Amino acid sequence: MALKPTIYKFRVALTDMNRDHYDSLNLTIAQHPSENTERMMARVLAFCLNAREGLVFTKGLSEVDEPDIWVREYDDSVSLWIDAGEPDADRMKKATRQSKETKVYSFNSKSEVWWKQNQSKFSAYSVDVVRFDWEQIQAFAALLQRTMDISVMITGDSAFISTEQGECEVTWETLQSVNK
């Protein structure tokens, strides 16, 4: 018998000072049985950093031909492709051909090694690559509850996150930006 995903519900009060974007998000997230909580919380933060009309979580790990998050237009084209983790260069090559904008949010303890091995390949593609601080993503994941109210304030290269269980800050480093 196949394992089923675990469902989480988040009510997010989002304040993005970088983009002057303020929103209330109701997110229902399915955590794949093989997905750890850090990856799921990296997806949540990536969603918050890119919040806009039409942004949705996809089937993610259950569907290899889809990103973790995307925006599809009315003509079924993809205008934004977001992957969380450390994808290979071939996947990003394909993503840049299918989408107008492509982003990667790397987050784990092996992220630096992955980037050193792939930086030259990624430089050939129009992909924004951001690395979240691994220990801070772990702190965010430690706050996880099945149903949560979250306040996220984004300013500069950091997000201040507040929940009923506690607070944390997640910072990030831009490794590659196509909009320099």
Side-chain angles (χ1 to χ4, degrees):
M1 185 163 122
L3 296 173
K4 294 187 182 222
T6 304
I7 305 300
Y8 291 88
K9 293 190 180 283
F10 300 132
R11 286 182 300 277
V12 181
L14 177 63
T15 303
D16 187 338
M17 304 297 283
N18 296 342
R19 299 184 300 145
D20 288 327
H21 182 86
Y22 310 93
D23 209 344
S24 294
L25 308 170
N26 288 307
L27 305 177
T28 300
I29 301 164
Q31 182 184 19
H32 191 276
S34 67
E35 181 178 37
N36 62 30
T37 56
E38 290 83 5
R39 184 179 189 283
M40 185 179 72
M41 298 312 269
R43 288 193 298 132
V44 170
L45 187 53
F47 192 99
C48 291
L49 288 169
N50 293 279
R52 64 184 78 169
E53 185 176 336
L55 188 69
V56 296
F57 289 102
T58 66
K59 294 179 183 176
L61 294 175
S62 298
E63 182 59 53
V64 296
D65 291 332
E66 293 181 359
D68 293 304
I69 304 167
W70 66 8
V71 174
R72 291 190 80 132
E73 300 300 327
Y74 294 114
D75 65 358
D76 217 27
S77 66
V78 179
S79 61
L80 177 60
W81 174 298
I82 299 173
D83 267 347
E86 290 73 36
D88 64 32
D90 290 339
R91 178 173 172 82
M92 290 301 93
K93 181 179 181 180
K94 178 181 172 184
T96 58
R97 290 180 177 162
Q98 292 182 8
S99 178
K100 295 175 186 137
E101 186 178 5
T102 307
K103 297 183 179 189
V104 173
Y105 290 91
S106 175
F107 62 89
N108 77 37
S109 62
K110 298 177 180 95
S111 180
E112 190 170 336
V113 173
W114 164 81
W115 182 242
K116 284 180 182 177
Q117 292 172 344
N118 290 283
Q119 183 175 4
S120 62
K121 296 174 190 171
F122 274 66
S123 66
Y125 308 127
S126 181
V127 179
D128 289 327
V129 182
V130 172
R131 179 174 46 218
F132 292 135
D133 181 274
W134 171 238
E135 291 178 358
Q136 294 171 348
I137 285 291
Q138 288 178 308
F140 185 24
L143 301 173
L144 182 63
Q145 300 287 312
R146 290 287 297 271
T147 302
M148 296 178 69
D149 289 323
I150 305 172
S151 174
V152 178
M153 185 171 82
I154 299 165
T155 181
D157 291 337
S158 68
F160 299 94
I161 300 161
S162 177
T163 72
E164 294 170 358
Q165 293 72 36
E167 299 175 347
C168 68
E169 178 181 8
V170 177
T171 59
W172 54 86
E173 174 186 8
T174 301
L175 302 175
Q176 176 173 300
S177 176
V178 293
N179 299 321
K180 296 178 182 172

